[in-house]
Structures are given as C-alpha cells and as structure tokens.
Amino acid sequence: MRVWTWSRCSRNMEPQNYTIRVMTDADYPQVHKLWKQISGFAMRTLDDSEDFVRRFIRRNPTTSIVAEMDGEIVGTILAGHDGRQASFYHVCVRKDKRKMGIGTAMATAAMRALKEEHVNKITLVAFRKNVVGNQFWQHAGWKQREDVNVYEFALNEENIAIFNEETSQ
C-alpha cells in the first residue's frame, strides 16, 4: 500500500503531520463517521452503506484515498473508473483540518493512481450550494462544464439521499 506523509502548519502555525494512503475495507467505520460530520454532505441509504462502500473499494482497490492525522481519518475521496473515465465521490476534509493542503494531497494521490491505470479524465459532482467545495475545485484548476446536464434514474427507490444538516461554514 502506498503511503505519503506530509507536515504542514495549522492556522495557528503549529506543525501538523498527516498521512495520505489508499482506503481499505477496515476504514469504513471512521470514513462513515467523518461523512456524518460534514455540513451539507449527502449520503445515500444503500450506496453509502458498509457493504456497498466495501464493494466499491474491492472494484477500485488502488484509487480511493484517505487522509489520517493521529490515527484518525480526517479526509476521504472515493475514486473509481470504468476503464475510460473516472469519478470522484465523497471528497471531504474535516472542517478543522482544512486549509492545510490535505484536499490537494488526496486529489493528487487519487489522480496519480488513476493515471497509472491509464484513465485520462475524471469527473465529479459538486452541489451548487457547496461554496467551499466549488471554490476548492476551481482553485485547483478543474473546469466547470456548461455544456452538459446531469441526469439520474433511480433503479432502487430505497436508495434515498439524506443530507447532513448545513451549518455556517
């Protein structure tokens, strides 16, 4: 398993060490706990269950990424592909650990893993209300497409999106 370690300063200039590594099945409890803490975050009742996330990781064993600090997961990216293009899902960094380069380091690690699998394009969905996320992707050089519409068709009506309560950012 690849592991990258960084040391950055927090907002109060204290050194903070964090590790970026490939997500494993065993990470699910901490990953799910983090997702529940992110304001405005949406999780689906089936797609984000332990069984479905573990299945996703087994299908994409090298491309999903977590960030750890002091043994605790503080960031995630689920990244998977179909051999042609990839998608990022559930990209997040815990609020108190933002602005330390964690999101950029995770995205870079996932992009490198996807490039090694000969994937040439990555897409993601950022909700319009997600100001922090949209600013992050635009600042990182990602292009917002204006020429496509996103459609969804639910094959299982039990797979409901539940949004975490939004708090001021």
Side-chain angles (χ1 to χ4, degrees), residues 52-69:
F52 277 65
V53 171
R54 286 182 173 184
R55 183 172 64 179
F56 184 91
I57 292 169
R58 282 191 303 273
R59 286 176 168 263
N60 304 279
T62 65
T63 56
S64 294
I65 303 296
V66 295
E68 276 187 315
M69 291 182 80

Side-chain angles (χ1 to χ4, degrees), residues 33-99:
K33 178 182 171 187
L34 172 64
W35 291 345
K36 290 184 354 185
Q37 296 172 5
I38 303 296
S39 176
F41 198 83
M43 289 187 287
R44 292 206 172 262
T45 53
L46 298 178
D47 294 343
D48 298 317
S49 69
E50 187 168 2
D51 288 341
F52 277 65
V53 171
R54 286 182 173 184
R55 183 172 64 179
F56 184 91
I57 292 169
R58 282 191 303 273
R59 286 176 168 263
N60 304 279
T62 65
T63 56
S64 294
I65 303 296
V66 295
E68 276 187 315
M69 291 182 80
D70 302 320
E72 196 173 340
I73 292 176
V74 297
T76 67
I77 295 180
L78 283 178
H81 69 89
D82 60 10
R84 181 170 182 248
Q85 78 175 17
S87 294
F88 278 1
Y89 307 95
H90 291 354
V91 180
C92 64
V93 175
R94 201 171 76 192
K95 187 174 182 177
D96 65 324
K97 302 301 182 189
R98 294 178 185 161
K99 304 287 186 194

Side-chain angles (χ1 to χ4, degrees), residues 16-34:
Q16 298 282 318
N17 296 318
Y18 60 89
T19 301
I20 305 298
R21 64 172 175 77
V22 173
M23 186 184 296
T24 68
D25 281 356
D27 292 323
Y28 182 82
Q30 280 194 62
V31 165
H32 190 257
K33 178 182 171 187
L34 172 64

